[in-house]
Amino acid sequence: MKIIENASLAKLNTFGVDAKARHLVIIDNEKELASFFAERAQSGNKLLILGGGSNILLLSSEIPLVLQYSKKGISTISVDSDTTTLEVSAGEIWDDVVAYAVSNNLGGIENLSLIPGTAGAAPIQNIGAYGQELCDVVSYIKYFSFTSKRIEIRQKAECGFGYRDSIFKKSLKNQVIITAIGLRLQNDPKPNLSYAPLHDRFKDRRTSPEISEIRDVIIDIRKTKLADPEEIGNGGSFFKNPVISPNKFEALKKEFPHVPSFPQENGIKVPAGWLIETAGWKGKRIGNVGSYRTQALVLVNYGGATGKEIIDFAEMIKTDVSAKFGIELEFEINVVEVG
Ligand code: EPU
C-alpha cells in the first residue's frame, strides 16, 4: 500500500485538471483492501475511487480521500468450445487487455481498442464504441464491498448495464471498489462491422477481416477523430447521445433534412456531436476550454482550465442546444464533487 499526502491529481485525470488529494491511497491487492477498510466506516461522499481518470471531471479542488486499486494480471478461467473466459485485474490498462485478447485471437472487444482508462473502470460506464459494448462480453464483476468488507461477485444480469450506465454508477457508487472483471470472449471471432465507417473500410474485401486488422482500423479512426489526452486534456465524449421520440425527430428532420439518426428500441438516437456542431460550437474556444475541432462532442482543456470553467462551458452548450432544438443533453462524463 502506498499513501501520498497532498498529492496532485493533475496527471491522474486525462482532462489535466489540477486538483489535490489530501490522501492518495494506492492499494495493490485484496488483502490490503480488507485491512485498509477493516477499521474504517464506509467513506461515502468523501471518497473518489480512481481508475485511469479518463471519464471524470474534477470539480472539487481538494478531495479528502482518493483510492486507486492497481493490481494487474490477466488469467484464463475457463475454456469451452465457443468461448474463453478471462479474469482481468482492475488495474490493467484497458487497451492492454484488448491487445492481449486480439493477440490470442479472442473476439468481442477489438472494436473497443484504444479507449483510455483501466479495466476496473470499464464496466462502470459500460464502455462502448463502433458497435460493441463491454456488457456484451461481461461474464461477472468482482468487487470489494465497503459494507460487507468482503469480495463479492455479481453476474452480468445483476449489473444493470445500459447505454453508458450500470449499477456501479448508481446504487453501488462509492459503496464498492471493483477488483476484477470476467470477460467471456469468442474463440472464433465474429467481426462486428455494423458501424458504417468501419464497414466502409472493409467493403471491398471478400473474406471477413481478422480482428487484428479491425483493431488497427479502429486505432486509426480514433487517432484521426478523437483528441489524444497525451496531447490535449479531455475526457472523451462529454455528453451522451440523446434518444428522442419519433414525433420530435420528424419535426427536427423537417428543419434539418440531413440530421443523422440511429433508431433504438426506445426512440431515435441523434448524435450530440451533430447537435453541438449545428448549434455552432464545433472548434469554438472560450478561455482555456473548447469544443474539439474534429469531434464537437469532446470538450478540451487547452491548458490550466479548472473543473468549474469546463462545466460552465458545457452548461453554455447545453443551454444553447436546448434553446435551438428543444433537446436536453445529459453529461456522459462523471462530475466529481466531494468533500
Ligand atoms: N457528428 C457531427 N459532428 C461532430 C461529431 C459527430 O455531425 O462534431 C455526427 C456525425 O454525423 C456522425 C455521428 O455524429 O455520423 C456519430 O459520430 P461518431 O461516430 O464520432 O460517434 P459519436 O456518436 O459522436 C459515440 C460515442 C464515442 C464512441 C463513438 C464511436 C457516446 C457519447 N460517444 O460518439 O464514445 O467512440 O460513438 O462508436 O456514445 C466516449 O464515450 O467517450 C466516446 C468517445
Side-chain angles (χ1 to χ4, degrees), residues 7 24 31 44 56 58 67 103 108 121 132 148 153 163 178 185 203 209 213 227 229-230 255 259 262 296 320 333 337:
L24 169 64
K31 235 175 149 180
I56 56 167
L58 299 173
L67 263 188
S103 67
Q132 279 180 352
S148 72
I153 296 187
Y163 168 56
I178 292 172
L185 303 174
K203 68 177 184 313
E213 296 172 274
E230 297 285 326
E255 205 180 334
V259 53
F262 304 91
D320 198 33
I333 202 107
E337 199 172 15

Side-chain angles (χ1 to χ4, degrees), residues 227-243:
D228 179 357
E230 297 285 326
E231 283 161 25
I232 186 160
N234 77 91
S237 299
F238 201 93
F239 301 95
K240 287 186 187 180
N241 286 328
V243 176

Side-chain angles (χ1 to χ4, degrees), residues 125 128-131 163-164 195 222 225-226 235-237 239-241 260 262 271 273-274 277 282 294-297 332:
Q125 62 147 332
Y130 310 107
Y163 168 56
R164 294 299 190 275
Y195 181 87
R222 288 189 78 95
K225 251 193 141 170
L226 294 166
S237 299
F239 301 95
K240 287 186 187 180
N241 286 328
F262 304 91
W274 181 87
E277 176 174 348
K282 190 173 185 171
T294 53
Q295 168 52 292
L297 187 53
E332 192 268 337

Side-chain angles (χ1 to χ4, degrees), residues 46-238:
K46 301 274 185 226
L47 168 75
L48 164 66
I49 300 165
L50 190 61
S54 54
N55 198 44
I56 56 167
L57 179 66
L58 299 173
L59 196 51
S60 303
S61 54
E62 191 178 85
I63 299 165
L65 178 61
V66 177
L67 263 188
Q68 226 176 8
Y69 188 71
S70 60
K71 189 174 180 206
K72 291 191 183 221
I74 303 178
S75 48
T76 301
I77 297 296
S78 63
V79 182
D80 63 29
S81 56
D82 298 329
T83 63
T84 295
T85 301
L86 300 180
E87 182 163 305
V88 180
S89 289
E92 282 288 342
I93 300 298
W94 172 255
D95 193 52
D96 292 346
V97 181
V98 180
Y100 177 91
V102 168
S103 67
N104 286 283
N105 202 34
L106 293 171
I109 53 175
E110 57 282 356
N111 294 22
L112 306 180
S113 288
L114 214 64
I115 294 183
T118 59
I124 299 176
Q125 62 147 332
N126 183 21
I127 58 171
Y130 310 107
Q132 279 180 352
E133 266 188 340
L134 184 79
C135 68
D136 301 336
V137 296
V138 164
S139 169
Y140 60 86
I141 306 292
K142 269 189 186 172
Y143 55 77
F144 178 83
S145 157
F146 300 153
T147 322
S148 72
K149 303 197 191 272
R150 282 191 293 112
I151 297 288
E152 296 179 6
I153 296 187
R154 214 169 249 261
Q155 300 301 317
K156 171 213 190 120
E158 307 161 323
C159 292
F161 286 124
Y163 168 56
R164 294 299 190 275
D165 205 11
S166 77
I167 195 166
F168 305 105
K169 259 184 151 177
K170 295 187 164 150
S171 60
L172 292 186
K173 186 175 176 180
N174 283 348
Q175 307 295 316
V176 305
I177 184 162
I178 292 172
T179 54
I181 64 176
L183 302 178
R184 201 157 171 225
L185 303 174
Q186 308 145 356
N187 297 336
D188 182 15
K190 317 236 167 351
N192 179 336
L193 304 178
S194 59
Y195 181 87
L198 192 56
H199 179 262
D200 290 350
R201 294 273 194 125
F202 292 109
K203 68 177 184 313
D204 298 328
R205 287 275 295 261
R206 278 155 184 258
T207 52
S208 200
E210 300 292 327
I211 55 176
S212 57
E213 296 172 274
I214 298 181
R215 173 167 165 79
D216 290 345
V217 167
I218 298 280
I219 289 175
D220 190 47
I221 296 178
R222 288 189 78 95
K223 282 193 169 157
T224 36
K225 251 193 141 170
L226 294 166
D228 179 357
E230 297 285 326
E231 283 161 25
I232 186 160
N234 77 91
S237 299
F238 201 93

